[in-house]
Amino acid sequence: MEEPGPAAAPPEGRGRDERSLEALSLAGGGGAAAVGRQLPEGRRATLASALELEGTVLREGRLTQFVANNLERRIRLSGAPRGEPPAGGGGSSIPAIDPGALQDVVALAGQVAAQVDELLRNVHCGLQALTALSVGCIQTYRDGVESLGEAADLSIRAMYALVARCEELDRAMQPVPALAKRIRDMKGTLERLEGLCK
C-alpha cells in the first residue's frame, strides 16, 4: 500500500487520528519494526478509542496520560443541571429576582414573626398559670399533711393521757370492793336490829 501524497491528503480530522494512531503504535511497543510499514486496518480500529477522539493520549512505559480537548467547557457542562442548556459566554443561568416578590416575602416573614411572638407569649402565660396552679396544689397538700400530722400527734397525746387517767382511776377504785362489802355487812346488821326492835 502506498502512502498518500500531498495531493491526496486525507481530511484534517482523519489525518490527525492516523498520526496519533501511528504515534501510539510506536510508543506501545511497535518500535522500529513498525517504521516504514502501514498498520493493518484492524490495528487502527483497535487503537482508535473514544479517548483518542476526545483528546490526546500519551504513554510512557506502563503509564498512560490523557488530556481532554476543551477541558473547561467539559467542566462547565458537567456542572450544569440535566435538562437545562449550558450557560453560554460565561453568563449566569440564575434568573433575575423580582423586587416585588422580595417585598412580599419580607412582609410575610414579618407576619410570621409577629404570630410566632404572640404564640410564644400565649404559651408563656399558659405555663405561668399552670405553674401557679401547681404551686397552689402543692402548698395545699403540704398544709394538709402538716395539719394531719399535728392532729395525729395531738390525738396520740390525748390517748396516752386518757390511758394514764384510766390507770389512776383503776388504782383509786381498788378499795371500793372492800368498802362495798362493809356496806353490805352494815346493811345486814341494821336489818337485823330493825327486826329485833319490832
Side-chain angles (χ1 to χ4, degrees):
M1 175 181 277
E2 296 181 0
E3 289 289 338
E12 182 181 352
R14 181 175 176 83
R16 183 182 61 186
D17 291 342
E18 289 179 355
R19 285 195 298 272
S20 61
L21 288 175
E22 290 177 358
L24 284 173
S25 64
L26 291 175
V35 177
R37 65 179 177 84
Q38 290 287 341
L39 293 175
E41 289 298 323
R43 178 67 172 166
R44 288 182 183 275
T46 302
L47 294 176
S49 62
L51 293 178
E52 295 174 5
L53 297 177
E54 298 294 332
T56 305
V57 178
L58 301 176
R59 292 185 182 178
E60 297 178 1
R62 293 186 178 180
L63 178 64
T64 302
Q65 298 179 359
F66 171 72
V67 179
N69 297 330
N70 298 327
L71 183 59
E72 294 180 3
R73 181 174 176 274
R74 292 178 181 276
I75 292 174
R76 285 196 299 270
L77 288 177
S78 65
R82 293 185 177 180
E84 294 184 3
S92 175
S93 61
I94 300 176
I97 300 174
D98 185 11
L102 287 178
Q103 292 177 357
D104 294 341
V105 170
V106 171
L108 291 175
Q111 293 178 3
V112 170
Q115 292 176 359
V116 169
D117 290 339
E118 184 179 359
L119 176 63
L120 291 178
R121 282 196 297 270
N122 293 335
V123 170
H124 181 67
C125 295
L127 290 177
Q128 283 185 342
L130 291 176
T131 304
L133 181 61
S134 300
V135 170
C137 292
I138 291 172
Q139 289 177 351
T140 304
Y141 180 74
R142 181 195 61 193
D143 296 340
V145 170
E146 289 178 354
S147 61
L148 178 62
E150 292 176 358
D153 189 19
L154 292 175
S155 298
I156 291 171
R157 290 179 182 179
M159 183 63 67
Y160 277 120
L162 179 62
V163 170
R165 295 297 176 86
C166 289
E167 289 177 354
E168 291 177 0
L169 181 62
D170 185 51
R171 285 193 299 269
M173 294 293 289
Q174 284 179 0
V176 171
L179 183 60
K181 184 179 179 183
R182 288 178 62 185
I183 291 173
R184 282 194 299 270
D185 292 342
M186 290 175 64
K187 184 177 180 181
T189 303
L190 289 173
E191 287 178 354
R192 285 195 297 271
L193 286 174
E194 288 179 356
L196 289 175
C197 291
K198 290 178 180 180

